Amino acid sequence: MKKIFSIVAAALVAFSFVSCNNEQTGSSFFKLTVSNIEATTVDVEVVPADTTVYYGATLFYGDDFAKYGADTLAADYAAQLATLAQKYGASALIQHGYILQGKLSSPAEGLSPKTEYALIAFQLNVNGDVVTLGKEISYKTFKTKDIEIKGEVDLGVLQGGGFEDYRSEDGSYIAYATDMATYDVTFNIYDDDFSGDYTEADLETSEYSFIWTKDMNVADPLLIVKAELKNVPGNGNNANLSGWAIATDGIKYKFSFDYPTVEAAAAPKKAAAKNALKPATLKVVRK
């Protein structure tokens, strides 16, 4: 659940968001460039004035930016990096690209169409494995284009429901339906129960929410970029997920499937390495 922010402060920040869209604000220490903005992708460049300084850079949803502001979001993400540094070591975070130095030039994929985002870059102080937020914070806002819906496919009632629980780790779980040979419909949902209505803003869309069918003629699943889902608990340890999702191919897929709400013992996990330290990619961080 997202924290409640001061209504007055939120209104002021929201006004700033609208009036400063596509303009860099905050510290001038970082030069931020957002280019090639499409419905689901964008190219980002961050250039610090001092290339020896450590820093972090990531994307946030525009509604989180409007509610909390750049300082709070940067502080929260810096705290996450500090926790990772204590677990893996700051040098590992530098090696894997979580803590940055020098110029960053990177694409961001799996974004939601027609959605406002904020790119925030912030200085980090690194002393051994202790990581703290520095004084330099810069941010730039932008809005993705709308996606062109090219068609609609009704997948019907799917079988092979499964469940993976990560609520104690990052507040999410994975619900999916697959028969491996013809389809794999998977959603990583940020919620603590199995009842509610969700959109793409409630999903991890950069990696663990995707659709694949044998008719796509592609080997890899396509990321979800837009969705309207309904989660309804059943009798016992099961629930039903239904609705539609648009993948990066521009097709609107309709579906419904039942899934258990308890993990199957010893079953292989889609996100077995979810908490492993992998090379960082520029992704959207939620508050």
Side-chain angles (χ1 to χ4, degrees), residues 70-72 74-76 78-79 122-125 131-137:
D71 290 355
T72 296
D76 281 0
F122 46 93
Q123 179 189 353
L124 293 170
N125 300 316
V131 176
T132 57
L133 180 66
K135 65 178 181 178
E136 308 289 356
I137 302 175

Side-chain angles (χ1 to χ4, degrees), residues 221-237:
L222 301 179
L223 294 175
I224 303 299
V225 297
K226 200 171 184 64
E228 286 191 7
L229 308 173
K230 179 177 286 293
N231 215 0
V232 178
N235 296 321
N237 296 321

Side-chain angles (χ1 to χ4, degrees), residues 209-212 216 218 220-225 247-250 253:
S209 296
F210 53 79
I211 288 181
W212 174 84
M216 286 180 174
V218 294
D220 296 323
L222 301 179
L223 294 175
I224 303 299
V225 297
T248 51
D249 60 355
Y253 296 91

Side-chain angles (χ1 to χ4, degrees), residues 122-202:
F122 46 93
Q123 179 189 353
L124 293 170
N125 300 316
V126 180
N127 183 9
D129 291 330
V130 178
V131 176
T132 57
L133 180 66
K135 65 178 181 178
E136 308 289 356
I137 302 175
S138 305
Y139 52 94
K140 187 182 187 70
T141 62
F142 65 94
K143 186 175 182 178
T144 52
K145 298 178 180 178
D146 201 1
I147 194 168
E148 177 187 356
I149 299 178
K150 301 176 181 177
E152 189 173 293
V153 173
D154 190 345
L155 299 175
V157 179
L158 303 175
Q159 305 300 313
F163 171 73
E164 295 174 16
D165 195 351
Y166 299 95
R167 288 174 293 176
S168 63
E169 300 173 18
D170 66 0
S172 76
Y173 59 85
I174 291 178
Y176 65 89
T178 182
D179 72 354
M180 302 300 291
T182 56
Y183 60 82
D184 188 341
V185 178
T186 296
F187 296 95
N188 189 181
I189 302 170
Y190 285 89
D191 197 6
D192 57 3
D193 60 21
F194 309 102
S195 177
D197 297 327
Y198 312 117
T199 70
E200 64 278 2
D202 301 299

Side-chain angles (χ1 to χ4, degrees), residues 14-82:
F15 176 79
S16 296
F17 188 93
V18 173
S19 62
C20 297
N21 196 35
N22 295 319
E23 297 179 4
Q24 180 172 327
T25 315
S27 170
S28 60
F29 181 83
F30 296 100
K31 181 183 178 182
L32 308 180
T33 303
V34 177
S35 60
N36 300 321
I37 301 173
E38 299 296 338
T40 64
T41 62
V42 68
D43 290 333
V44 166
E45 183 177 274
V46 180
V47 182
D50 181 350
T51 57
T52 66
V53 165
Y54 292 110
Y55 69 96
T58 194
L59 298 173
F60 292 89
Y61 283 107
D63 59 350
D64 279 341
F65 179 83
K67 287 181 180 179
Y68 304 106
D71 290 355
T72 296
L73 295 177
D76 281 0
Y77 191 55
Q80 293 178 40
L81 294 176

